[in-house]
Amino acid sequence: MSLDFTAIDFETANGFRGSPCAVGLSKVRGGVIVEEASWLMRPPENHDTFDYHNVRIHGITPEKVAGQPRFGELFAEIGAFIGGDIIAAHNAAFDLGVIRSGLEVSGLPGPAYDYVCTVMLSRRCYSLVSNSLPFAAEEAGVPLINHHDAAEDARACAGILIDIAARNRANSVAELYLSLGLSIPQQQAFHPAADALSKATLTALAAAGSDGPARPFRTGWPQEGDNPPPNPDAEPGNPLFGQTVVFTGQLAMPRPEAKIRSAEMGARPESRVTARTSVLVVGDGFDARDLRSGRLTGKARRVLELHERGQAIEVLSEGEFLQMVGGAAGTMDAGMMNATGAGIHVAQQSFPVAALRS
């Protein structure tokens, strides 16, 4: 056995996962990157609006992809590059979700993929206050220069997995997961004519069909709301599963909605930072670089103190959180709302989910 896999990173045009506009791939053989590929692309038809916030982060505009093939036309080449490899991605649920949703709205079937998530591995094997891609890449000795460039992000993801395997003396992905007591997850094959659409796609299609007015962003002191219990049927592979989550700062969604979404993923939301807290989600446009600049809320400073004392706790941007819960701000479906009985008026403001890479 040898350390063989393909690392992948997508950038998207808007808050829907199925709107890829760029992809980067790094193929690893024997623990060494041997081949790389990247493409710009037009997102699938009817899902190709470029959100201002996404463009501001990754710099890809409609003009830059004009004349490029759409994702559905390009996927044969992407799939051929991956072949039968295990896929590695930083927050793999997002990137695998891009493939699935992008193919679903393109009317195309998708193959099964075994995959690994370097966010999850970073949490287990490093001790970082943020497991965002720049922090994990720096720890792995492969610092990022142009974060949000899909090719560079894929290369950094590959470097993280190579480093973690070396630290655990693992000669393959299977051996690494066995040493950590984990099972390699799999995204099942699907066919849009036979299988139900994914939740992200259904939510996006429902939002696209809504002609209601956009609800303005509300300022003022955030209302905490109730702390719903974790969903016992949540997917254990989600990065939020089993975490105790606290929110701080102004989010692009009501904080009670954020708590409901985290609980749906198997997290336990709470209202203040304590010895139980394992994740702090920061609003106000925070990204991981703010941990070094000092632009932090009181709760975030408390997290830094606890981390320095040895508590296993990390900080997420709202964009990273939205990737993990699978949707843009204000697109929580009615079923989830009814199931919680929360009766929340959800904001319909667009938010840069996909471009805010981990």
Side-chain angles (χ1 to χ4, degrees), residues 227-234 241-243 262-269:
N227 292 312
N231 173 16
D233 300 318
F241 184 86
Q243 304 296 323
S262 65
E264 185 69 12
M265 297 298 116
R268 181 177 299 281

Side-chain angles (χ1 to χ4, degrees), residues 64-139:
K64 288 185 178 180
V65 302
Q68 298 293 333
R70 291 196 185 274
F71 171 75
E73 299 167 327
L74 191 60
F75 186 74
E77 292 185 64
I78 297 171
F81 188 96
I82 298 170
D85 280 3
I86 292 173
I87 289 178
H90 206 70
N91 190 8
F94 169 80
D95 294 280
L96 271 293
V98 171
I99 292 175
R100 172 135 191 176
S101 288
L103 290 175
E104 285 176 335
V105 296
S106 301
L108 297 173
Y113 286 116
D114 291 336
Y115 65 91
V116 299
C117 178
T118 50
V119 169
M120 301 288 285
L121 292 173
S122 176
R123 283 179 172 174
R124 280 185 170 258
C125 301
Y126 299 153
S127 180
L128 304 174
V129 71
S130 169
N131 289 288
S132 65
L133 188 58
F135 274 67
E138 182 177 323
E139 178 69 17

Side-chain angles (χ1 to χ4, degrees), residues 50 83 127 150 226 305:
F50 278 72
S127 180
D226 296 331
E305 293 171 3

Side-chain angles (χ1 to χ4, degrees), residues 10-29:
F10 282 102
E11 301 296 332
T12 61
N14 55 65
F16 172 41
R17 289 181 177 182
S19 66
C21 59
V23 64
L25 302 109
S26 291
K27 185 174 289 292
V28 173
R29 290 291 179 266

